[in-house]
Amino acid sequence: MKLTFLGHAAVRLQHAEHEVLIDPFLSENPLAVTAPESLSPSHVILTHAHGDHVGDTVTIAKRSGATVVAAVEVVNRLARDGVEGVGMNVGGSADFPFGRVTFTPAWHSSAFPDGTYGGTPMGVVVRLGDVTIFHAGDTALFSDLALVARHGIDVALVPIGDHFTMGPDDALEAARMLQARHVVPIHYDTFPPIVQDARAFARRVSVETGSEAHALAPGEALEL
Ligand code: NI
Ligand code: MN
């Protein structure tokens, strides 16, 4: 399984013939190094409706024929743009050709840039091959993140930007609860209010928790 950090909260997961994207915000991201045209996923998973997460979903899905997997409200709104989707909701799991998806709670908000209601914001556990990835979405720290550890997380993607989500101190606490083998910080540096020292965060996680943390630059990958 290859996990490529595409910048902000966007990741590309590749395993065997499968390619799955989560929150592909690329063309509007000043730090992104990957063009949406270079991606051909079968599925795009969205944690919530905010513009910095839906990003290039419609363009990518229309070109590659990808199915969007997200909250029912997000899928219904994207259907109006001609995108196919599977609507789910928090706490639910479903099986796909690439593996299993489980949506988990996140403390945040969710509306499209035009104000359309986007349902509940969520985190997501993705089982791909024998690797389990947790993308926390945009969230505050909350104690029920400890329940996600029951999935046996290999890689946890946690926001550290502060301002819109938890910051580094709370993300360190989240890492303690998630007990993942690997931790990758996301949702930082893209815009001035969320500039953070991701390397310092990664060092603290590696020293103070049982997880090994990796501050990946956009375009960098982790192979598991
Ligand atoms: Ni958000
Ligand atoms: Mn966000």
Side-chain angles (χ1 to χ4, degrees), residues 48 50 52-53 108-109 138:
H48 63 296
H50 285 160
D52 59 320
H53 296 260
H108 192 60
S109 61
D138 281 1

Side-chain angles (χ1 to χ4, degrees), residues 104-175:
T104 65
W107 269 101
H108 192 60
S109 61
S110 181
F112 285 86
D114 68 2
T116 307
Y117 174 60
T120 302
M122 304 187 287
V124 65
V125 177
V126 184
R127 181 91 182 156
L128 202 75
D130 58 359
V131 178
T132 302
I133 300 111
F134 174 57
H135 187 300
D138 281 1
T139 187
L141 175 66
F142 62 110
S143 57
D144 282 356
L145 284 170
L147 295 173
V148 178
R150 294 179 309 160
H151 289 273
I153 307 298
D154 293 297
V155 189
L157 301 146
V158 293
I160 66 161
D162 216 337
H163 200 98
F164 303 110
T165 66
M166 58 185 161
D169 291 344
D170 283 354
L172 181 72
E173 204 54 47

Side-chain angles (χ1 to χ4, degrees), residues 145-223:
L145 284 170
L147 295 173
V148 178
R150 294 179 309 160
H151 289 273
I153 307 298
D154 293 297
V155 189
L157 301 146
V158 293
I160 66 161
D162 216 337
H163 200 98
F164 303 110
T165 66
M166 58 185 161
D169 291 344
D170 283 354
L172 181 72
E173 204 54 47
R176 278 199 186 93
M177 287 193 271
L178 292 167
Q179 297 173 33
R181 286 205 296 135
H182 302 273
V183 169
V184 175
I186 59 171
H187 213 276
Y188 64 92
D189 283 3
T190 321
F191 314 109
I194 61 170
V195 169
Q196 296 292 344
D197 187 341
R199 288 176 180 280
F201 169 77
R203 273 194 301 274
R204 285 177 71 194
V205 170
S206 296
V207 170
E208 298 177 36
T209 78
S211 306
E212 189 187 334
H214 314 264
L216 302 176
E220 261 193 302
L222 202 60
E223 302 231 21

Side-chain angles (χ1 to χ4, degrees), residues 70-78 86-89 117-120 122:
V72 281
E73 293 84 355
V74 170
V75 165
N76 290 345
R77 170 66 187 78
L78 294 179
V86 175
M88 295 179 61
N89 215 326
Y117 174 60
T120 302
M122 304 187 287

